Amino acid sequence: MKTILVTGTAGFIGFHLAKRLLNDGYRVVGVDSITDYYDIRMKIRRNKILLESQNYKFYKTNIADYKALDKIVKKEKPEVIIHLAAQAGVRYSLTNPWAYAEANYLGTMNIFETAKNNKIKRVLYASSSSVYGKNTISPFSEDHRVDQPISIYAASKRANELLAHSYHHLYGIETAGMRFFTVYGDYNRPDLALFKFTKSILLGKPIDVYNNGEMGRDFTYVSDIVDGIIAILNKKDLNYEIYNLGGDNPISLMNFIKLIETNLNKKAKLKMLPMQPGDVKENFADVTKARRELGFDPKIKIDKGVALYIDWFNKNKSWLLKLKEGKQ
Ligand SMILES: NC(=O)c1ccc[n+]([C@@H]2O[C@H](COP(=O)([O-])OP(=O)(O)OC[C@H]3O[C@@H](n4cnc5c(N)ncnc54)[C@H](O)[C@@H]3O)[C@@H](O)[C@H]2O)c1
């Protein structure tokens, strides 16, 4: 049985990935420090589901603590590391950049360092569409420039890609940076728009609409992201790679809100606000490379994905409506 170490398993994407790996017959070692950036009750719930599997072993550990991380790797001997733990969120990176320094800079360096010291051949890690920053050529392609990040979060994710290059060059570690584009689905993060909008509409509260609604996002359903990660995991040859993993299905913010309204059968109260510093106006993905090299084929279109999400939310309303949304 192959052992995979996944960081961030109490998080949204890590949870879904670990669930799939366990279903597919892998042994999963999960590492997460369960930070309180958003309501930890969501993280504990996800982790509890994973702990139902005998093939899941969990360590509540901070990846910024090298000794603790290295000890786990030495004991569990994973063949591959899939590194998804991070301090996420664009806006919070402007108020608490130190959280990003700890988790994203130091934490990611520790991941590569332990991979090097324990001869782990392959490391997949989460990057982000936010690395495209000021790039205005749309859709975003892997060969576009990414040297103008506009948030501390984006800069930290780009730094991870550069670090991966050094570790690949120096020690031959196979690396793949995965630039995710606005991932959504059940158990998603309560600090993200879909959760916040759904909750506020149900409670009759106004929702914050930035840049007067003139924004666009390439929403990617989480099962499609997991398919992409598994395809990279199974890819025979890997050197230093970067892949856009997006839904190939862009939508404007106003149409996104309309879709939620339709599914909830309730109108939203809109609070129009200016653009937020650090935010990008549009993030549409060009997934040609992932299609060609991985057979990546995002299947869940936004109408179906939002319908699935609202259905799940309605069934879980009693606890979801109590969750705190996340630090700003
Ligand atoms: N969700 C998206 O739309 C999206 C888009 C682009 C990139 N990403 C990236 O994908 C990855 C997963 O995102 P997510 O949406 O699941 O976020 P998430 O916040 O739900 O999950 C990240 C997990 O990492 C853990 N963590 C944070 N700092 C840690 C540390 N120092 N040590 C150990 N664990 C720590 C957190 O407790 C959390 O459970 C992140 O790297 C994120 O930056 C996500």
Side-chain angles (χ1 to χ4, degrees), residues 116-251:
K116 175 197 93 183
N117 289 333
N118 294 287
K119 307 212 166 9
I120 291 168
K121 240 185 114 199
R122 186 169 285 202
V123 177
L124 278 45
Y125 62 97
S127 182
S128 162
S129 61
S130 64
V131 300
Y132 289 106
K134 277 183 116 173
N135 172 46
T136 51
I137 311 163
S138 189
F140 297 159
S141 166
E142 291 89 345
D143 47 28
H144 289 171
R145 65 184 290 195
V146 281
D147 55 356
Q148 296 176 301
I150 59 168
S151 70
I152 313 301
Y153 168 69
S156 75
K157 287 289 168 180
R158 180 62 187 140
N160 291 171
E161 296 179 350
L162 299 174
L163 198 60
H165 190 272
S166 307
Y167 275 88
H168 170 70
H169 173 77
L170 291 167
Y171 310 111
I173 300 173
E174 300 177 333
T175 68
M178 305 174 288
R179 293 181 181 162
F180 299 145
F181 285 69
T182 324
V183 190
Y184 73 110
D186 53 324
Y187 289 91
N188 83 340
R189 279 164 38 196
D191 63 314
L192 293 180
L194 182 55
F195 177 92
K196 292 205 270 193
F197 288 178
T198 307
K199 180 180 166 191
S200 295
I201 297 172
L202 282 171
L203 297 176
K205 290 186 177 164
I207 61 174
D208 292 345
V209 181
Y210 295 111
N211 202 31
N212 290 310
E214 285 170 34
M215 308 260 278
R217 287 290 178 269
D218 199 344
F219 285 90
T220 321
Y221 200 73
V222 69
S223 57
D224 285 326
I225 286 289
V226 170
D227 284 346
I229 301 174
I230 303 271
I232 303 173
L233 177 68
N234 291 332
K235 193 172 184 296
K236 204 165 158 271
D237 302 308
L238 207 63
N239 292 304
Y240 167 82
E241 296 299 342
I242 300 281
Y243 290 107
N244 280 349
L245 294 181
D248 210 9
N249 190 24
I251 185 170

Side-chain angles (χ1 to χ4, degrees), residues 8 10-14 32-35 38 43 46 61-64 84-88 102-103 126-128 153 157 180 182-183 189 192:
F12 168 47
I13 302 173
D32 197 304
S33 59
I34 317 214
T35 68
Y38 60 75
K43 299 184 180 183
R46 296 180 187 127
T61 299
N62 186 342
I63 56 164
L84 304 177
Q87 175 58 57
E102 179 180 301
S127 182
S128 162
Y153 168 69
K157 287 289 168 180
F180 299 145
T182 324
V183 190
R189 279 164 38 196
L192 293 180

